[in-house]
Amino acid sequence: MQTVGIDIGTTTISGVVLEKNGTQKPRILKAKTIENGSFLTTTKDWERIQDAEKIVKKSRQMLDDFLDEYPEVEKIGLTGQMHGIVYIDKEGTCVSPLYTWQDARGSLCEENNGSLTEEIQQTCNVQVASGYGIVTHIYNLRHHLIPDTAVSFCTIMDYFGMQLTGRKKAMVHASNGASFGFFNVQKNAFMTEELYKMGVEEQWLPQVCTRIEALGSYRERIVTTAIGGTGGQISVLSDQYFTAEGIEARPFLHGTYLLAGASLCGGKAYALLEKFFREFVKEATGQEKPLYKTLEKLAGDGKASCTGRENRKKLQIETTFDGTRVHPEQTGSITNLSTDNFTPAAFVYRTLEGMSRELYQMYQTIQNGTGMQIKRMIGSGNGLRKNPVLCEIVEEMFGAKLALAECEEEAATGAALSSMQQDE
């Protein structure tokens, strides 16, 4: 069987053509990644919105190219950036921009001098973060920002599925439904009573399914429900339900859960460091070029120079530059600077260490709450795949051998694999 997986990320759109024969491991026939490039300019510094129709156009072009080249493809699986929403009208047409997971309106101080997320916690005892779709929706309701023709909302990948199949109403997998907030993961249903307290009527909520369902067809291929996918996170597959501060239990397949903690900055921390050095080089030389190869060498040098230092002499970088889910106001920090460690190599190495430590602290919360021990650790994403020093840091910090996912473009590959389970 051949399937296509499309991953609509915040910065890139990726796709794969996957082939699976019997019990053999699936193999990628083709992979492609393009820039998303759809952020819209806004006068509000807290607003993070994208052009939904532009995203759909780029995603459809990628899919069409795959289908033209591989006519034997049978199914199409979808995934993408979680939490964000687009509004749709009764005809299933998008009538708003995509309000992304990075949107900060839920953290703004309201008239009562508290944020919307704080009000939700106090009123409903529900823990949500700014950028979660229903938080965005509540803010938009209160500030009259919802288009008059809107009747519901869904994720961008759900909307793409609607556009491919001609559906007028969204069908959202529980993994995406949970990402909106106000979702009872054990019951796989929205918390309608709590939502009513916040002024949200049930009619706004999309239909939720727990299995991989067929949405319809596109060019005579079955399109399946989009599944949730995200970056910069620690995920533990579990049969038991567990939540804690900063840890969510997300619905997975066959009644299991992903106990997940997500960093808001993630690999962006490393990209910020590269940008910092690149801007300096441009000012000094007049030339601008990517410096990731240089940073990779500096990371190796930093590992050699930083190993064995006492904690009091150890440079420490906290990479929470965009805050955290629990504390959005938190910032990053650099401490223990000295004449010995004020070097580019140390900064690169300790930034990688900070990225790993943020995820490890989330894993410790899961471990302490469940007693689960690492049996197998799998890494995915270009941050690990292209940075061997980061892999070494992760292995040392977690105390386990790290295996990289066999397939590149892991999210798109997962979407392609999920579509194969549609009949199961």
Side-chain angles (χ1 to χ4, degrees):
M1 175 185 287
Q2 291 182 4
T3 60
V4 167
I6 300 291
D7 169 30
I8 302 175
T10 313
T11 57
T12 60
I13 300 170
S14 302
V16 298
V17 180
L18 199 70
E19 182 177 70
K20 191 174 188 299
N21 294 318
T23 59
Q24 295 181 0
K25 292 182 179 180
R27 65 189 184 103
I28 292 178
L29 301 179
K30 187 163 187 176
K32 185 177 182 180
T33 295
I34 61 174
E35 183 182 4
N36 183 315
S38 64
F39 270 106
L40 295 170
T41 302
T42 172
T43 58
K44 306 177 181 68
D45 59 4
W46 44 263
E47 189 169 51
R48 299 290 183 275
I49 55 177
Q50 292 182 324
D51 185 332
E53 294 297 352
K54 184 176 180 180
I55 292 173
V56 166
K57 183 178 180 180
K58 285 189 171 186
S59 302
R60 189 193 295 265
Q61 184 61 61
M62 177 182 288
L63 175 59
D64 284 338
D65 290 344
F66 282 149
L67 298 182
D68 289 343
E69 187 172 353
Y70 296 91
E72 295 183 12
V73 165
E74 298 177 34
K75 295 183 179 181
I76 300 163
L78 308 173
T79 187
Q81 50 176 303
M82 299 170 70
H83 307 297
I85 58 170
V86 295
Y87 288 103
I88 51 179
D89 64 17
K90 63 181 181 180
E91 298 299 322
T93 302
C94 174
V95 291
S96 77
L98 164 62
Y99 299 90
T100 74
W101 63 274
Q102 297 174 333
D103 195 272
R105 68 193 64 208
S107 298
L108 298 176
C109 287
E110 295 282 80
E111 293 180 0
N112 59 2
N113 295 323
S115 70
L116 178 55
T117 54
E118 290 170 340
E119 180 188 342
I120 290 169
Q121 177 68 45
Q122 294 168 2
T123 304
C124 306
N125 195 28
V126 173
Q127 184 175 313
V128 288
S130 188
Y132 282 26
I134 290 181
V135 176
T136 299
H137 178 61
I138 294 171
Y139 182 94
N140 289 347
L141 270 174
R142 291 183 174 181
H143 294 267
H144 310 289
L145 298 175
I146 300 175
D148 294 338
T149 56
V151 297
S152 186
F153 55 77
C154 61
T155 71
I156 184 62
M157 48 278 197
D158 292 312
Y159 178 61
F160 183 45
M162 294 173 67
Q163 287 295 288
L164 292 177
T165 59
R167 291 180 66 96
K168 293 184 178 181
K169 294 184 179 180
M171 180 186 290
V172 176
H173 187 266
S175 58
N176 279 321
S179 78
F180 294 144
F182 285 87
F183 193 85
N184 187 318
V185 173
Q186 292 174 293
K187 295 181 179 179
N188 283 311
F190 287 106
M191 302 174 182
T192 52
E193 291 185 10
E194 287 80 0
L195 284 169
Y196 184 77
K197 294 178 184 178
M198 299 305 298
V200 178
E201 298 178 2
E202 191 172 352
Q203 67 189 43
W204 282 103
L205 305 176
Q207 180 184 354
V208 175
C209 64
T210 57
R211 294 171 56 87
I212 303 299
E213 305 280 355
L215 295 175
S217 63
Y218 178 69
R219 291 180 57 175
E220 300 182 350
R221 280 86 167 182
I222 294 174
V223 180
T224 57
T225 45
I227 57 174
T230 188
Q233 70 169 29
I234 179 81
S235 297
V236 179
L237 182 62
S238 174
D239 291 325
Q240 61 175 304
Y241 176 87
F242 170 77
T243 61
E245 190 172 71
I247 303 299
E248 300 177 356
R250 295 176 177 170
F252 196 57
L253 304 176
H254 309 301
T256 59
Y257 303 99
L258 284 181
L259 309 183
S263 58
L264 295 186
C265 199
K268 180 181 174 182
Y270 194 58
L272 286 171
L273 189 63
E274 189 271 345
K275 180 183 178 184
F276 175 86
F277 284 120
R278 180 155 38 92
E279 288 181 354
F280 172 79
V281 170
K282 182 180 179 181
E283 288 295 323
T285 68
Q287 297 181 340
E288 182 177 14
K289 61 180 180 179
L291 294 176
Y292 285 106
K293 285 293 183 182
T294 303
L295 262 61
E296 185 177 330
K297 179 182 182 303
L298 286 171
D301 295 342
K303 176 179 174 62
S305 63
C306 291
T307 302
R309 286 191 179 275
E310 301 175 29
N311 283 336
R312 65 184 181 86
K313 295 183 179 180
K314 179 179 175 181
L315 176 68
Q316 183 157 315
I317 299 179
E318 299 296 337
T319 55
T320 50
F321 303 125
D322 287 331
T324 69
R325 290 286 190 206
V326 180
H327 300 290
E329 76 285 351
Q330 187 171 330
T331 58
S333 64
I334 300 172
T335 55
N336 288 348
L337 272 172
S338 70
T339 54
D340 292 332
N341 61 35
F342 200 160
T343 66
F347 268 69
V348 175
Y349 183 77
R350 294 306 185 190
T351 296
L352 293 173
E353 186 183 64
M355 291 162 53
S356 179
R357 183 170 54 251
E358 187 177 0
L359 297 178
Y360 179 65
Q361 290 169 345
M362 296 174 188
Y363 167 71
Q364 285 183 307
T365 300
I366 297 172
Q367 186 184 52
N368 293 337
T370 64
M372 297 173 65
Q373 299 291 328
I374 294 179
K375 294 181 179 179
R376 188 182 182 200
M377 186 166 65
I378 300 174
S380 66
N382 288 334
L384 289 169
R385 194 178 298 280
K386 296 183 178 181
N387 201 318
V389 175
L390 179 58
C391 293
E392 293 172 7
I393 292 172
V394 169
E395 288 184 333
E396 182 177 342
M397 193 170 290
F398 282 79
K401 185 69 176 176
L402 176 69
L404 294 180
E406 294 181 1
C407 298
E408 297 186 27
E409 302 302 346
E410 294 91 343
T413 300
L417 286 171
S418 75
S419 68
M420 294 180 181
Q421 298 192 29
Q422 181 253 323
D423 293 322
E424 295 183 4

